[in-house]
C-alpha cells in the first residue's frame, strides 16, 4: 500500500508540530480530569508510569447506556459534539458472520460499549472551550 503524495505531504508537515500538539492534548486531558471530578461520568485512567499516552481521544464512561445517550443529546443541544468510538468487536458484522457472535456473548464489553463516549480533544481547543464542554457535562 502506497501513501498518496498529498497525504504524505500533510503527514510530514504535521510531524513538525507533533510534540506541541501532544503537549496541548495532554494539558486538555488533565484539565478535563480536574473539571469533571465528581461529575456524572468517570474519566479515563491517567496512564502507566514510564509510558506516554497518545491522548488521541478523551473517552468517558456514563452510568448506563441511557444516561450516555441523554448526556450526549443535552451536550449536543448546547452546540458541543461528542463521539461514540467503541463498539465491541464481537458485534461487528464480520465477527458475527465468521464466528456467530451476538448480543449477550460478552456482556462486559457490551456494557462498556453502551456507556462510553468521547469528548472533544483537539490541540486547537482553547481553555474556555474545555471549560464549556466540562460545564455542559456537569449540568446535563
Amino acid at each position: 500500500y502506497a501513501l498518496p503524495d498529498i497525504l504524505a505531504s500533510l503527514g510530514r508537515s504535521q510531524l513538525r508540530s507533533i510534540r506541541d500538539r501532544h503537549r496541548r492534548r495532554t494539558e486538555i486531558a488533565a484539565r478535563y480530569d480536574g473539571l469533571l471530578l465528581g461529575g456524572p461520568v468517570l474519566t479515563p485512567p491517567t496512564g502507566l508510569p514510564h509510558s506516554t499516552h497518545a491522548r488521541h481521544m478523551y473517552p468517558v464512561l456514563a452510568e448506563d447506556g441511557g444516561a450516555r445517550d441523554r448526556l450526549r443529546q443535552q451536550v449536543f443541544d448546547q452546540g458541543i459534539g461528542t463521539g461514540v468510538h467503541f463498539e465491541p468487536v464481537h458485534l461487528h458484522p464480520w465477527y458475527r458472520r465468521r464466528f456467530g457472535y451476538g448480543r449477550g456473548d460478552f456482556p462486559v464489553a457490551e456494557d462498556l460499549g453502551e456507556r462510553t463516549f468521547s469528548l472533544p480533544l483537539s490541540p486547537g481547543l482553547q481553555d474556555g472551550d474545555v471549560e464549556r464542554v466540562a460545564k455542559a457535562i456537569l449540568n446535563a
Side-chain angles (χ1 to χ4, degrees):
Y1 176 76
L3 187 65
D5 290 347
I6 189 75
L7 293 178
S9 176
L10 179 61
R12 283 189 63 163
S13 70
Q14 289 182 337
L15 283 173
R16 288 193 273 282
S17 63
I18 195 168
R19 284 189 176 84
D20 289 339
R21 291 189 349 251
H22 181 263
R23 179 191 48 74
R24 180 61 184 150
R25 286 176 177 273
T26 300
E27 289 172 358
I28 291 168
R31 196 162 185 88
Y32 275 144
D33 289 345
L35 292 168
L36 295 172
L37 191 62
V41 294
L42 293 176
T43 57
T46 56
L48 299 171
H50 311 293
S51 69
T52 302
H53 193 293
R55 295 294 180 206
H56 68 292
M57 286 192 293
Y58 191 87
V60 293
L61 193 63
E63 183 178 318
D64 59 48
R68 178 194 72 183
D69 296 341
R70 284 189 303 277
L71 280 168
R72 290 188 71 223
Q73 184 60 54
Q74 290 173 357
V75 169
F76 180 78
D77 290 345
Q78 295 180 53
I80 299 167
T82 61
V84 174
H85 295 102
F86 174 67
E87 180 180 354
V89 172
H90 71 285
L91 297 179
H92 287 251
W94 187 87
Y95 289 91
R96 286 177 174 248
R97 284 190 310 271
R98 176 71 170 92
F99 300 108
Y101 292 138
R103 210 158 266 295
D105 287 339
F106 298 94
V108 174
E110 292 168 28
D111 177 59
L112 291 173
E114 292 169 358
R115 297 169 52 202
T116 303
F117 67 107
S118 300
L119 302 184
L121 181 64
S122 163
L125 289 174
Q126 302 297 313
D127 289 347
D129 299 325
V130 176
E131 290 169 14
R132 183 171 161 255
V133 171
K135 184 177 179 180
I137 292 290
L138 293 171
N139 291 334

